[in-house]
């Protein structure tokens, strides 16, 4: 087996419809990563562009495709991860997993620790989105991945990425039926995004909270939070995203 295959997860394998990781994501970048050439020059603003927080998928995929044509390997990685984020938000989990898988060689070669941290968030999101298809062990690992990513992004001062990590953590906690803890993580994401003036992204926080209440079968509360998300989109003049809110809930509630 090639060395790379031993060190990174093979994300795209399907087991009864499930995206299944066969090895630990923590090994995707060798010890001491982040010291590779140029890795420290990634600015937080550039890194923050990976996560769209439910932004228009067509526009986000177009930006991802543009990044993939760059001569800079790190930009290519971020483009692929941006596409993975879009697919994950759309519920296209196998497409998301394949995009993440495609970044692994570059992440390892470049010792791209920031890219690895983005991968951790995306894996946590994928496991949370799978719902009942994810095992307890997978969700328990996803908790660790999201927490590790949040700490990394906090150190990097990549605040939007840190909010994405908190939101992934919220979704995983909801999937584990730790609803109050999930809402606390979502609140942390909300505070970061509000402080940044990222109003549209706050709607995605409310979307995650609403999804938690659907999983808890508290549908009136879910409706309340979806209403808040819609109000944000409507206040920004985005009728398309306002209409999409309900359809993104589990079961189309």
């Amino acid at each position: 087996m090639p060395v790379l295959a031993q060190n990174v997860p093979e994300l795209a394998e399907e087991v009864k419809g499930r995206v299944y990781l066969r090895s630990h994501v923590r090994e995707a970048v060798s010890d001491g990563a982040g010291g590779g050439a140029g890795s420290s020059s990634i600015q937080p603003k550039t890194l923050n562009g990976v996560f769209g927080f439910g932004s228009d998928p067509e526009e986000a995929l177009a930006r991802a495709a543009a990044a993939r044509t760059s001569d800079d390997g790190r930009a290519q990685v971020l483009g692929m991860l941006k596409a993975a984020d879009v697919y994950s938000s759309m519920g296209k989990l196998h497409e998301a997993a394949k995009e993440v898988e495609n970044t692994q060689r570059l992440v390892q070669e470049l010792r791209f620790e920031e890219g690895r941290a983005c991968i951790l968030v995306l894996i946590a999101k994928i496991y949370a989105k799978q719902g009942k298809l994810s095992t307890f062990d997978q969700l328990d690992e996803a908790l660790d991945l999201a927490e590790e990513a949040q700490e990394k992004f906090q150190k990097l001062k990549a605040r939007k990425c840190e909010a994405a990590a908190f939101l992934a953590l919220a979704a995983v906690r909801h999937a584990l039926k730790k609803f109050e803890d999930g809402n606390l993580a979502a609140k942390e994401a909300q505070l970061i995004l509000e402080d940044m003036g990222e109003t549209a992204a706050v709607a995605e926080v409310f979307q995650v909270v609403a999804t938690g209440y659907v999983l808890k079968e508290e549908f009136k509360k879910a409706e309340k939070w979806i209403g808040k998300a819609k109000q944000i989109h409507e206040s920004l003049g985005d009728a398309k995203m306002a209409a999409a809110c309900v359809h993104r809930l589990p079961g189309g509630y």
Side-chain angles (χ1 to χ4, degrees), residues 162-163 166-167 182-193 205:
E162 184 184 0
F166 270 124
L167 212 52
N183 287 348
L184 287 174
K187 184 64 176 180
E188 293 289 346
Q190 179 184 347
L191 291 173
I192 291 171
L193 295 169
V205 176

Side-chain angles (χ1 to χ4, degrees), residues 10-86:
E10 298 182 34
L11 302 174
E13 181 182 0
E14 183 172 338
V15 179
K16 295 182 179 179
R18 176 192 306 150
V19 176
Y20 178 64
L21 286 77
R22 291 186 289 177
S23 61
H24 293 292
V25 172
R26 290 179 183 81
E27 300 301 320
V29 178
S30 59
D31 290 342
S39 62
S40 61
S41 66
I42 290 289
Q43 297 298 312
K45 183 177 180 180
T46 300
L47 205 56
N48 283 337
V50 171
F51 299 104
F53 291 87
S55 59
D56 185 274
E58 292 181 6
E59 293 180 5
L61 287 174
R63 290 194 293 272
R68 294 168 82 141
T69 65
S70 172
D71 293 332
D72 185 337
R74 294 163 301 161
Q76 293 173 27
V77 167
L78 296 181
M80 287 185 275
L81 294 177
K82 185 171 186 64
D85 180 62
V86 175

Side-chain angles (χ1 to χ4, degrees), residues 191-229:
L191 291 173
I192 291 171
L193 295 169
E194 287 180 340
D195 188 56
M196 294 179 70
E198 294 280 355
T199 305
V202 173
E204 183 68 7
V205 176
F206 295 163
Q207 187 87 35
V208 170
V209 173
T211 298
Y213 282 120
V214 170
L215 295 176
K216 199 177 179 182
E217 298 186 353
E218 293 187 10
F219 301 115
K220 289 293 185 183
K221 289 184 178 179
E223 185 178 352
K224 170 188 172 183
W225 285 94
I226 278 297
K228 289 186 174 185

Side-chain angles (χ1 to χ4, degrees), residues 207 211 214 219 226 244-253:
Q207 187 87 35
T211 298
V214 170
F219 301 115
I226 278 297
C245 286
V246 172
H247 301 294
R248 292 180 53 214
L249 287 173
Y253 167 78

Side-chain angles (χ1 to χ4, degrees), residues 114-219:
E114 295 92 338
R116 172 183 175 274
C118 291
I119 288 175
L120 302 185
V121 174
L122 289 164
I123 299 308
K125 284 183 66 173
I126 289 169
Y127 275 165
K129 286 266 186 182
Q130 284 188 141
K132 293 180 180 179
L133 283 177
S134 287
T135 66
F136 174 83
D137 286 343
Q138 288 173 325
L139 291 172
D140 190 52
E141 181 181 20
L143 283 177
D144 291 340
L145 300 180
E147 289 172 351
E148 181 181 343
Q150 182 269 317
E151 292 174 359
K152 177 67 177 179
F153 288 130
Q154 185 179 56
K155 291 178 181 177
L156 292 170
K157 301 188 186 302
R159 300 188 70 207
K160 198 169 182 181
C161 288
E162 184 184 0
F166 270 124
L167 212 52
L169 181 61
V172 175
R173 287 174 175 174
H174 288 160
L176 286 166
K177 301 188 184 302
K178 298 179 178 180
F179 298 108
E180 293 304 317
D181 287 344
N183 287 348
L184 287 174
K187 184 64 176 180
E188 293 289 346
Q190 179 184 347
L191 291 173
I192 291 171
L193 295 169
E194 287 180 340
D195 188 56
M196 294 179 70
E198 294 280 355
T199 305
V202 173
E204 183 68 7
V205 176
F206 295 163
Q207 187 87 35
V208 170
V209 173
T211 298
Y213 282 120
V214 170
L215 295 176
K216 199 177 179 182
E217 298 186 353
E218 293 187 10
F219 301 115

